[in-house]
Amino acid sequence: MGFDNVSASAEIEAKIGLIARGQSATADAYLTPEVKRYLNGFAKGFKGDLAEADCRVSFMQSDGALADFKKFSGLRAILSGPAGGVVGFARTSYDALDGSPVVGFDMGGTSTDVSRFSGEYEHVFETTTAGITIQVPQLDINTVAAGGGSILTYRNQIFNVGPESAGAHPGPACYRKGGPLTVTDANLFLGRLHVDSFPKSEPIPLVFSF
């Protein structure tokens, strides 16, 4: 019928629950074409046809497992980045002999991901993000809509953080690129950032003085 991609809920996540199942299929139909477009560009970066090559190329899914890049879908990639962080700190920071749980804190430009590992990966099978409920296995990661680039504003006599972000460019005001006031600027003002630790090839944050 002319569609480049068809997302069938029975193939994506065949579970009871018409609304969540429909929203899951809709989210997959929206995301998977973009993911496939990215993967096609990724494959073209290799000599020959990567899709036909006799090699293993896998991508991280939201549940912490790996999937062959030819079967990678948008619905299962929503939290693939944070999931990789969970697997990483679980393998490097957790001491099985001690047994003490470890907590992961991943602060980016627009959001902060918090997770916990105590010997086994904890999964959830239904989540609500931005008002959309989807049914798909994911590592139990709590996301707060506040990151280093979240813009600080004062509206209606209330201080606000985000959801707008300064992005990589222009970035926070202290990067001296004409950016707005952000969480990073607040942390710098409060003395929580070590300016000497920043790469010398990048703009060094401007230290505020009053």
Side-chain angles (χ1 to χ4, degrees), residues 61-82:
Q61 298 185 128
S62 300
D63 61 356
L66 296 175
D68 185 89
F69 85 103
K70 288 176 285 188
K71 299 179 180 179
F72 197 53
S73 70
L75 186 65
R76 294 180 178 272
I78 294 175
L79 288 180
S80 58

Side-chain angles (χ1 to χ4, degrees), residues 64-190:
L66 296 175
D68 185 89
F69 85 103
K70 288 176 285 188
K71 299 179 180 179
F72 197 53
S73 70
L75 186 65
R76 294 180 178 272
I78 294 175
L79 288 180
S80 58
V86 174
V87 174
F89 83 73
R91 294 199 170 202
T92 58
S93 302
Y94 179 73
D95 186 349
L97 296 178
D98 178 81
S100 298
V102 290
V103 174
F105 183 88
D106 182 2
M107 187 173 191
T110 58
S111 63
T112 300
D113 301 309
V114 181
S115 51
R116 178 180 181 273
F117 183 80
S118 59
E120 294 183 356
Y121 294 112
E122 299 178 8
H123 291 85
V124 293
F125 300 93
E126 182 173 299
T127 56
T128 300
T129 305
I132 303 297
T133 300
I134 60 173
Q135 291 181 330
V136 65
Q138 296 180 345
L139 287 175
D140 191 7
I141 302 171
N142 291 294
T143 301
V144 181
S150 295
I151 297 175
L152 305 180
T153 57
Y154 183 74
R155 296 189 296 253
N156 301 322
Q157 299 182 340
I158 297 176
F159 287 106
N160 297 278
V161 179
E164 300 86 359
S165 173
H169 298 284
C174 63
Y175 283 10
R176 295 177 286 185
K177 297 180 180 179
L181 192 68
T182 68
V183 170
T184 296
D185 299 305
N187 285 326
L188 180 61
F189 180 75
L190 294 172

Side-chain angles (χ1 to χ4, degrees), residues 28 30-42 59 69 72-75 77-78:
D28 184 81
Y30 178 81
L31 296 171
T32 294
E34 293 299 321
V35 170
K36 287 184 176 180
R37 191 174 294 114
Y38 169 79
L39 292 178
N40 289 336
F42 173 81
F59 282 81
F69 85 103
F72 197 53
S73 70
L75 186 65
I78 294 175

